């Protein structure tokens, strides 16, 4: 079956611009996660959705970052006034349920470059 | 605070040789542990996981890992490495809080000599 998909695969933007990154999870998965992976590092947690609501957004670095999941499926990560330090690979993962710890299925990521 | 340490940034092995990648974790309760592999341009793929029970767990692609509570370790092993195993390997611990998020180590890049 189809895995987690993310678009675009690459995004180059200028400092100060606004960007949106999209994640399409595996059908039927209620839990959705966003992680950020900087060069040479492991992924770092940003935000977790259970259904439509953001159950934990403690990993968002500041208020320029925001994410939505209005219908409990597709999610969009939004970054305002981008900075060069935002350059990273943004990974999305989904899991069948948000109750308890389960395997998370990762998408291929969106590589964001801020010039 | 929870954390995962992968002390080896790079490891190079010859094809056919055995492999061990180290992982140490810091977690206050019984850990849920994972190993993921990331190939260039690919997403993270789960190799294996430990939740409870037998401390030696088998995964895909011939990998295994052993949970040692006394050493806070979860090392990944493979008896004979193939050139296609060259990739980045990440150890992670699952956090049982409001998010059940994963905390990852910084990864170990495996290079395979022909």
């Amino acid at each position: 079956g189809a895995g987690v998909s993310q678009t675009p695969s690459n995004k180059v933007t200028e400092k100060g611009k606004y960007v949106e990154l999209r994640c399409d999870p595996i059908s039927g998965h209620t839990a959705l996660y966003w992680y950020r992976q900087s060069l040479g590092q492991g992924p770092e947690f940003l935000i977790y959705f259970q259904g439509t609501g953001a159950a934990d957004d403690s990993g968002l670095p500041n208020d320029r970052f925001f994410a939505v999941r209005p219908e409990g499926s597709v999610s969009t990560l939004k970054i305002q006034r981008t900075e060069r330090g935002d350059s990273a690979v943004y990974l999305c993962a989904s899991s069948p349920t948000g109750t308890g710890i389960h395997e998370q299925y990762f998408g291929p990521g969106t590589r964001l470059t801020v010039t | 605070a929870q954390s995962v340490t992968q002390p080896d940034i790079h490891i190079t092995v010859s094809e056919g040789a055995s492999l061990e990648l180290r992982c140490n974790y810091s977690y206050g309760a019984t850990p849920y542990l994972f190993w993921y592999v990331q190939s260039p341009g690919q997403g993270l793929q789960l190799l294996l996981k430990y939740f409870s029970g037998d401390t030696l767990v088998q995964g895909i692609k011939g990998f295994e890992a052993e949970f040692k509570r006394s050493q806070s370790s979860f090392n990944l092993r493979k008896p004979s490495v193939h050139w296609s195993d060259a990739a980045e390997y990440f150890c992670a611990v699952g956090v049982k809080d409001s998010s059940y998020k994963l905390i990852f180590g910084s990864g170990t890049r495996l290079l395979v000599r022909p």
Side-chain angles (χ1 to χ4, degrees):
Chain A
V4 177
S5 63
Q6 293 185 245
T7 54
S9 55
N10 282 283
K11 176 71 177 179
V12 180
T13 190
E14 293 179 348
K15 179 177 178 296
K17 299 291 189 183
Y18 168 83
V19 297
E20 291 189 350
L21 312 179
R22 176 188 167 107
C23 171
D24 205 335
I26 293 172
S27 178
H29 281 194
T30 59
L32 186 146
Y33 299 80
W34 284 98
Y35 292 84
R36 178 168 73 173
Q37 186 175 18
S38 300
L39 194 62
Q41 300 297 316
E44 293 180 305
F45 169 77
L46 294 177
I47 187 169
Y48 157 67
F49 287 90
Q50 175 57 27
T52 59
D56 186 342
D57 64 358
S58 62
L60 295 178
N62 52 58
D63 61 6
R64 295 187 297 104
F65 288 74
F66 188 72
V68 296
R69 194 185 185 198
E71 298 179 354
S73 178
V74 171
S75 175
T76 304
L77 178 65
K78 308 181 181 195
I79 310 175
Q80 298 178 318
R81 305 183 303 281
T82 52
E83 299 177 358
R84 293 195 178 88
D86 299 335
S87 296
V89 176
Y90 290 81
L91 297 168
C92 176
S94 69
S95 184
T97 172
T99 303
I101 295 177
H102 300 273
E103 175 183 353
Q104 294 180 21
Y105 297 80
F106 284 81
T110 294
R111 181 176 299 278
L112 175 66
T113 303
V114 182
T115 63
Chain B
Q2 309 95 345
S3 66
V4 175
T5 301
Q6 293 181 249
D8 303 306
I9 298 173
H10 294 101
I11 281 188
T12 301
V13 299
S14 297
E15 191 169 16
S18 64
L19 170 70
E20 183 169 31
L21 302 183
R22 295 184 290 165
C23 171
N24 292 97
Y25 67 89
S26 174
Y27 190 66
T30 300
Y32 287 55
L33 297 162
F34 303 80
W35 274 100
Y36 281 85
V37 60
Q38 186 177 41
S39 299
Q42 305 292 315
L44 290 157
Q45 181 184 22
L46 181 71
L47 287 175
L48 47 78
K49 62 190 178 191
Y50 171 79
F51 284 7
S52 65
D54 193 345
T55 57
L56 184 63
V57 294
Q58 303 297 321
I60 62 171
K61 304 184 180 186
F63 285 93
E64 67 178 26
E66 186 170 13
F67 169 59
K68 293 186 177 180
R69 184 186 300 276
S70 61
Q71 298 177 21
S72 299
S73 69
F74 188 56
N75 293 349
L76 182 71
R77 301 194 293 249
K78 186 170 184 178
S80 177
V81 168
H82 188 263
W83 64 266
S84 60
D85 293 325
E88 186 104 27
Y89 291 80
F90 292 95
C91 181
V93 63
V95 177
K96 287 174 279 187
D97 62 6
S98 58
S99 68
Y100 308 104
K101 59 181 172 280
L102 299 179
I103 293 178
F104 287 86
S106 55
T108 296
R109 179 164 298 280
L110 173 65
L111 304 173
V112 180
R113 280 193 297 255

